[in-house]
Amino acid sequence: MRTYDYLTDPSLGVQFSLGLLAAVAIALLCGVLSVLVVLKRLAFIGQGVSHAAFGGVGLAMVFGLASTEAGLGQELGMFFVVVAFCIASALGVAWLSREDSSRADTAIGVVLAGAMAIGFLLAAHAARRAQEAGELPPPSIETVLFGSFLTLGGADALIAWACCVLILGVLWLVRRPMLFASFDEEAAISAGLPVAKLRLLLLCLLAVAIVVTMRLAGVVLATALLILPGAVALRLSLRLWAVVGLAVAVSLVGTIGGVVLAFELDWQAGPSVAVALLAIFLVAEGVRAIRLR
Amino acid sequence: MTTSELVDVLLLQGGRNTTLVVMGTTLLGVAAGLVGVFALLRRRSLMADTLSHAALPGIAGAFLVISAFGMPRSLGVLLLGATVAGVLGVLAVQGLTRYTRLREDAAMGIVLSVFFGVGIVMLSVIQNRPGAGQAGLKSFIYGQTAAMSPTDAVSIGVVAVFCLIATLLLQKEFVAVCFQDEHARSLGWPVGVLDLAMMALVVIVTVVGLQSVGVILIVAMLIIPPAAARLWTDRVSAMLWISALIGGMSGYSGACVSALFPRKPAGSVIVLCAGALFLLSLLLAPRRGVLGEFLRRIAGRVRLATDHALESLYEREIGVEASPPRRGVLLERLMALRGLVVLGPSGPGLTEKGRERGARLRRNHLLWEQYLISHADVAPSHVDWSVDQVEHVLSEDLVNQLERALASRGVAPPTPAEGGR
């Protein structure tokens, strides 16, 4: 059991425990949001926003906010830069597809690819500049793209839990109109609910959640955490609170299982979490198929 | 880098290898632009994204197979692996949507992230193995034209030309399938085969572009040029040419930059170039552009203000009590410039042309007012406000219809000089 050895290791144990703490917050957050993502068909815009986050990271690197040994201040600075970038991209997609929402996929594609490209160039630039100046190099592109458990630390745990409380709190406050709009948008509009504004709010919350998730699972694989728990839960139950509870449970098991998998097999954390979640999804499908027979 | 070096590369004189790479990438851009138009019309853009991400484990797997058998690395085998994995990914999406109740977007998200994650793990396994040859594999993630060998470039160019010719030859059929597949089917066309051919072209362009643009960004080559072209035109044939042009320009400039600065990620430069052209289109395109929309809005406002001013000037002239005309120096100058008013010391006075237009507006106003009262049962005291909005958009045709409608009820159409209100 390498996991046990790592966590009880006197030199690394504390950092790993903090990383695990951050992972739990991320799992909670993604579990709840994934239900809304699947219900409101936000999978693609989520993916677009998470790719856009890479552009934000590039920007933060150029500002020198993303060195490998950043303090809490730098971490926070980077967090806000990336969140701002993500929210701007989400609003950009909403604006580009304002006349015809069915064209959103094109808008997402354009914003996604553009932001990624900017990110690559800025990251390359920042790395070269740091090398020339003899400073600590910024984190590698791979870390940002695919996530890493090893770089999670106290600052991440703090940010993750703060965002978790904030986002879940806001969702709790708007739960009634949000659910109404999720299940019957037409009726919600005619009842006078600000459906478009609610959607924008949800997108902003999603953007923040993605930025947090990205630290663990990376830009590309954050999507898995934001879809699979909700997909599993909605297959197993149709009662709302049961779905939310199931999604959170799946998310927690998948994330922690993924981290353990990463320790045991020496994989990166992001892919391991994605694979663990997929395994849960397949098991749930199998159970369902047997039960229905 | 010197200026002459820059000119050499731009004019395709920078040595045989560079020239081949630049030409191959440009052709790829053109082909992606053409194929992308149909992907966009058929709403397959995001399918292409899934496909390219899913191709990564195929590349890594093909590399593992090659090195297990001790064969030399060849682009063909790697791309074969990419194709197999990509097609498997697309089939997995279809399987997920059919056998579970997942919607397509969620299914694509799942397939994309899991396939990609597996690919990343496989790549890291490869990197930890002893032995050479894995160096170029990363270029499939980020895209690096500098890592391309001349033979690769030539084969990419050949495949791109094939896609280009196939798209142009099948253009009419593809358009029919995109817009009216039911109709095409009833004409006895092989819609299923054509659809498959379209998808196959998307697969080919995606896979071939993997090395120069990378799995993450290749989808941009399929989405951005057509999306930009869509802003300029509503006609598919024009859209094809514009999209091909934008794609080609992006590929060309990306490859040139990559030749000049080998360490810059070429894929990003290609995509950024396409993105810049998209932004330009978004700003400048005549009908859908931001600038055009802005100018049209201003023009509409000026027309409305002119109409209001002329009408109230006319009403003042014939002595009907009316709201006093809103004064505005700029507006009055503009009207004088167009010969509608003459500016005098006591304010603007109507010219013959201005009087005619003012009279027509007033007549429209009264006409609509009477119509509302006699046909729509609107109370006379409430009629004025809604009329103020409508009188400006009444076409000649509509005015004739209104006259007929009033005549049929025996109401005499108003004359402009009449009192009222």
Side-chain angles (χ1 to χ4, degrees), chain A residues 41 47 105 120-121 142 221, chain B residues 103 112-113 142 268 272:
Chain A
R41 306 188 184 208
Q47 205 183 322
D105 58 345
F120 279 128
L121 284 175
E142 280 84 27
L221 299 172
Chain B
R103 293 189 190 116
L112 183 155
S113 51
Y142 313 119
S268 311
L272 270 192

Side-chain angles (χ1 to χ4, degrees), chain A residues 37-44 47 51 95-96 98-100 102-103 105-106 108-110 112-114 116-118 120-121 124-125 128 131 141-142 145-146 220-221 223-224 227-228 231 234-235 238 266-268 271-272 274-275 278 281 285 288, chain B residues 40-41 43-47 49-50 53 96 99-110 112-114 116-118 120-121 124-125 128 138 141-142 216-217 219-220 223-224 227 230 263-265 267-269 271-272 275 278 282 288 290 293:
Chain A
V37 167
V38 174
L39 277 180
K40 298 203 78 172
R41 306 188 184 208
L42 292 174
F44 269 126
Q47 205 183 322
H51 278 66
W95 182 77
L96 277 177
R98 69 196 180 285
E99 271 158 25
D100 182 2
S102 65
R103 287 276 164 213
D105 58 345
T106 312
I108 292 170
V110 171
L112 174 157
M116 282 296 278
I118 292 174
F120 279 128
L121 284 175
H125 174 74
R128 202 177 51 245
Q131 195 186 13
I141 292 179
E142 280 84 27
L145 278 182
F146 316 132
V220 186
L221 299 172
T223 316
I227 299 175
L228 275 164
L234 282 166
R235 289 291 279 166
L238 286 174
D266 203 14
W267 286 6
Q268 289 102 319
S272 320
V275 169
L278 179 75
F281 177 78
E285 282 300 321
R288 226 183 88 95
Chain B
L40 183 93
L41 292 176
R43 313 235 157 139
R44 289 273 167 72
S45 325
L46 293 165
M47 191 57 111
D49 195 28
T50 312
H53 279 72
L96 275 180
Y99 295 113
T100 74
R101 261 184 329 193
L102 277 184
R103 293 189 190 116
E104 200 175 32
D105 65 331
M108 284 193 204
I110 291 172
L112 183 155
S113 51
V114 171
F116 192 74
V118 170
I120 293 300
V121 169
S124 76
V125 168
N128 291 336
K138 266 201 181 163
I141 302 183
Y142 313 119
I216 301 178
L217 289 179
V219 69
I223 296 182
I224 297 183
R230 183 76 187 81
R263 283 168 58 202
K264 283 262 188 255
S268 311
V269 178
V271 173
L272 270 192
F278 176 81
L282 193 64
R288 291 158 188 262
V290 174
E293 198 177 308

